[in-house]
Amino acid sequence: RRARIGAQNARVYKDSEGILTVGVGHALQYKDKDTGEIRWSKPEYKQYKEGDEVSTKRIKQWLIEDARGAEADATQVLSEKAPELLDNEEAMLLFSSFFYQLGMTNALGFTNMWAAIENRDYKTASKEALDSVWAKDQTPERAQRFADFLLTLG
C-alpha cells in the first residue's frame, strides 16, 4: 500500500491555512505559533507569489527532500514513543505521511495521541487523532485512514 500525500501542483497556491504552497504540499511559508503571523520558511522563497509556476525539476527535488525529512521525523519520534513500529512498513508509511503533511511541530502537538501511543492504547490514540482540525477541517479522509490504522495496532 502506498502512502497518499496529495497531488502535484506546479503553481503556487494557498493551502487551507492560507500558507503559500507548491508541488506535493511543499510549504513556502509557515504560521508563527506565538504571533499567528505568516512567515517565509526560507529567505529564497520570498521570490514566489500565488500563481507562479515552479519547474517540475524543482518540485521533484522538494518532494524528495520533504519525504526524506518526514521519514526521518517519523523514525525519530517512533524510536522514542513506540520503537516496535519501526519494523512495521505500513506504520512507517502512514506516520511518515502524517509528519509530511503536518511537520514536526504540528505533529508533536497531538500530545494526547502520542501519550496514548506510548501507553499502547491505540483505541484512544485513534480517537485523539480524529479530535483535531486536521481530521475535521483539513484532510478528513487522510486522518480517518491514519486513525483506522491505529485501531489495527491494538
Side-chain angles (χ1 to χ4, degrees):
R1 191 187 286 185
R2 294 180 51 183
R4 296 181 184 114
I5 52 177
Q8 178 175 313
N9 191 330
R11 294 199 181 275
V12 176
Y13 63 94
K14 286 188 179 179
D15 72 5
S16 62
E17 300 295 308
I19 303 295
L20 286 181
T21 305
V22 69
V24 188
H26 182 78
L28 303 173
Q29 300 174 317
Y30 68 95
K31 192 174 283 187
D32 185 284
K33 293 286 181 202
D34 296 325
T35 66
E37 288 182 49
I38 293 178
R39 302 184 186 276
W40 294 101
S41 300
K42 294 182 179 178
E44 60 266 27
Y45 292 168
K46 290 180 182 182
Q47 67 179 304
Y48 296 105
K49 60 186 182 301
E50 190 172 6
D52 283 355
E53 192 161 336
V54 178
S55 74
T56 300
K57 180 179 179 181
R58 188 67 190 123
I59 288 170
K60 286 180 181 177
Q61 289 171 331
W62 281 334
L63 172 60
I64 290 166
E65 291 168 9
D66 292 348
R68 285 181 180 150
E71 184 176 21
D73 290 346
T75 299
Q76 176 189 337
V77 173
L78 289 176
S79 293
E80 298 167 10
K81 300 189 181 296
E84 69 279 5
L85 295 180
L86 293 170
D87 292 327
N88 180 321
E89 187 177 334
E90 188 169 12
M92 287 305 299
L93 282 170
L94 288 167
F95 277 96
S96 293
S97 180
F98 177 76
F99 279 94
Y100 185 99
Q101 183 183 9
L102 297 172
M104 179 69 101
T105 301
N106 291 330
L108 291 178
F110 284 64
T111 53
N112 293 335
M113 181 193 80
W114 289 114
I117 288 171
E118 285 183 290
N119 291 323
R120 308 313 183 253
D121 180 358
Y122 294 108
K123 184 176 180 182
T124 299
S126 175
K127 181 177 132 289
E128 291 297 335
L130 293 174
D131 186 21
S132 64
V133 171
W134 174 60
K136 294 174 184 171
D137 299 331
Q138 294 175 342
T139 52
E141 290 177 8
R142 187 176 304 166
Q144 187 65 58
R145 279 193 304 273
F146 182 78
D148 289 347
F149 173 75
L150 291 174
L151 290 174
T152 70
L153 297 173

